[in-house]
Amino acid sequence: MENTATETGALLSKEYCEEDDAEEDQKLSKCERLEVINKPSDSSTTSCSSVQSTKVVLTVYIMAGCAALSSCNLGFDIGVNTDAGLMLQKGMSLNDVQLEAFMGSLDLFGMVGALLSSSLIGRYGLRWTFVMASLSFVIGIAIMIFSTTYAPLMFGRMFVGLGVGI
């Protein structure tokens, strides 16, 4: 059964079936039956209360929470690195160009992650894509923590950007 909403807000239930016709060399034909479920009594006014609500599964709330927390990674990273940028520049002897590349690379790799996210969701599903994004973010942070030169710092930043973008 498949449910679709009409312009008046009523739900239509579509039932597809295949009939076996023995007289015509076992050819299959499709039949479609539409049945109105919970049609409002007054077709001129439609409210949300006229459509039956469905039970929201706990998994939906968990996935929505993961999506919200994943979005918070961007704000967290930008906020932390805004203050830490000057300390990082002094501690690792970075010039201004290297610092700007470090700060701006998050957006660049985030865009790449955003472009990849659709194909990752299509291939692995939403749950595993969230896992990949979270692991990428954590791995990137770990690499940046233990980096002592500019190259590993940028390598870790790439993972963080991908995790934020996905």
Side-chain angles (χ1 to χ4, degrees):
M1 286 280 182
E2 178 184 329
N3 291 335
T4 58
T6 63
E7 291 178 356
T8 62
L11 290 177
L12 292 179
S13 173
K14 292 183 181 179
E15 180 180 332
Y16 297 99
C17 60
E18 296 177 349
E19 294 179 348
D20 193 14
D21 190 1
E23 296 175 0
E24 295 183 16
D25 297 325
Q26 300 291 331
K27 290 183 181 179
L28 298 176
S29 64
K30 289 185 178 179
C31 66
E32 183 177 295
R33 185 182 63 144
L34 297 177
E35 146 186 335
V36 177
I37 301 174
N38 197 18
K39 183 177 180 181
S41 58
D42 183 12
S43 63
S44 63
T45 61
T46 304
S47 66
C48 293
S49 63
S50 66
V51 179
Q52 291 179 342
S53 65
T54 60
K55 183 178 178 183
V56 178
V57 185
L58 179 63
T59 307
V60 174
Y61 287 119
I62 291 171
M63 289 296 172
C66 288
L69 287 176
S70 181
S71 299
C72 292
N73 288 340
L74 176 64
F76 170 77
D77 195 80
I78 290 173
V80 167
N81 286 315
T82 300
D83 282 341
L86 293 176
M87 292 186 288
L88 185 66
Q89 186 176 21
K90 290 178 186 176
M92 294 183 79
S93 302
L94 301 178
N95 61 31
D96 290 339
V97 174
Q98 288 175 325
L99 180 64
E100 290 301 319
F102 171 75
M103 297 298 281
S105 64
L106 178 74
D107 296 328
L108 176 68
F109 293 122
M111 285 188 289
V112 172
L115 290 172
L116 291 174
S117 64
S118 177
S119 62
L120 289 174
I121 289 171
R123 175 175 272 177
Y124 301 109
L126 192 59
R127 179 179 300 177
W128 289 110
T129 304
F130 277 140
V131 169
M132 284 187 264
S134 299
L135 284 176
S136 177
F137 187 79
V138 170
I139 288 169
I141 293 291
I143 292 171
M144 288 192 313
I145 287 171
F146 294 110
S147 65
T148 56
T149 60
Y150 181 68
L153 184 71
M154 288 301 290
F155 185 66
R157 191 68 164 177
M158 177 186 69
F159 279 101
V160 171
L162 288 173
V164 164
I166 293 173

